[in-house]
Amino acid sequence: MKPAPAVAVTAPRRLVEGRERVTLNTAYVRALEGAGLVPLAVPTMLAADRAGAALAAVRGLVLTGGEDVAPARYGAAPHPRLGDVDPVRDAAELALIAAARARGLPILAICRGIQILNVALGGTLYQDLDSERPGPVPHNDETGRHPVHVEAGSLLERTLGTRSASVNSRHHQAIRDLAPGLKAVAWADDGIIEGAEPSDAKEPWMVAVQWHPEDLTERALFDGFARAVA
Ligand code: MN
């Protein structure tokens, strides 16, 4: 039997009961293992050149949720409502994205993941939706859900198997200007971009979503990622 493919999952630094730890929500581990993959945590506190080297051992990359991306990365001044940033994590994940793209590895980008991916490819972000782009959809709600509309014929639609979904939403930032090379393929009712993928269909598999599929019973994204990795 072929061994299960390993994938890198970014694991941030967190202060837990007064001690610094490298952390990864178990929901990512369960979702990836459930899709037949072996998740390997890559600490985002690694120096950028080391982080990229971690990809030598894996067949795919998962960019996880977390802090805001430092606005200097996309040429903006910090907004008063900017949340916590971790410039070391930004650097490590930008190196991971560059290394994954250089090797043609599949990338699954979740929440902060869609944001850092957009910045990596030259896009910009809203730093705080409530103050910079207020609208009727509560995007920053620990318990709520909202509908998303998925572009017909997109990789995301083929992966999810649907053009409409109800997703969780725990983000106060979002894509502002989409990066060259990406196309938007899912939106909330207020027009906020909730999904993106390469505009060139010949690019390696890459799906980025603004929601947290690891916390839904929805398995399709992880299964699609696993098929791309295999
Ligand atoms: Mn949302």
Side-chain angles (χ1 to χ4, degrees):
M1 204 177 105
K2 245 174 37 171
V7 295
V9 187
T10 54
R13 184 173 52 84
R14 289 281 179 275
L15 202 59
V16 180
E17 294 175 353
R19 298 192 69 179
E20 275 197 335
R21 298 183 186 277
V22 171
T23 62
L24 183 61
N25 287 346
T26 55
Y28 293 111
V29 178
R30 292 204 172 91
L32 290 162
E33 192 178 13
L37 298 168
V38 177
L40 298 184
V42 175
T44 58
M45 63 187 286
L46 286 176
D49 54 345
R50 308 262 166 126
L55 288 192
V58 302
R59 312 248 299 264
L61 171 64
V62 181
L63 298 163
T64 57
E67 299 89 344
D68 291 349
V69 177
R73 290 285 183 187
Y74 47 96
H79 184 278
R81 299 282 298 275
L82 177 71
D84 290 341
V85 297
D86 180 349
V88 174
R89 178 179 186 176
D90 292 344
E93 289 187 337
L94 291 170
L96 284 165
I97 291 165
R101 284 168 53 78
R103 291 189 45 209
L105 297 182
I107 298 175
L108 176 60
I110 293 171
C111 199
R112 168 192 159 91
I114 191 175
Q115 297 166 7
I116 189 80
L117 186 65
N118 186 55
V119 170
L121 301 187
T124 67
L125 303 177
Y126 291 111
Q127 295 185 44
D128 182 65
L129 286 174
D130 281 348
S131 42
E132 293 184 300
R133 198 181 179 293
V137 178
H139 286 283
N140 193 11
D141 180 344
E142 281 295 321
T143 56
R145 288 188 174 216
H146 64 67
V148 292
H149 310 278
V150 180
E151 177 83 349
S154 62
L155 173 60
L156 182 61
E157 189 222 0
R158 294 198 303 278
T159 304
L160 288 176
T162 182
R163 288 199 59 198
S164 63
S166 171
V167 301
N168 52 19
S169 191
R170 304 201 301 266
H171 58 108
H172 84 119
Q173 299 204 322
I175 290 177
R176 183 194 292 259
D177 301 305
L178 195 62
L182 288 181
K183 65 174 176 182
V185 290
W187 302 263
D189 285 336
D190 56 3
I192 291 294
I193 294 173
E194 292 272 344
E197 63 188 50
S199 43
D200 182 349
K202 293 191 293 293
E203 287 278 312
W205 194 97
M206 179 196 288
V207 169
V209 294
Q210 186 56 74
W211 64 91
H212 281 280
E214 76 280 9
D215 286 335
L216 299 169
T217 52
E218 175 59 66
R219 297 295 324 277
L221 278 178
F222 293 97
D223 291 342
F225 178 57
R227 284 194 299 276
V229 161

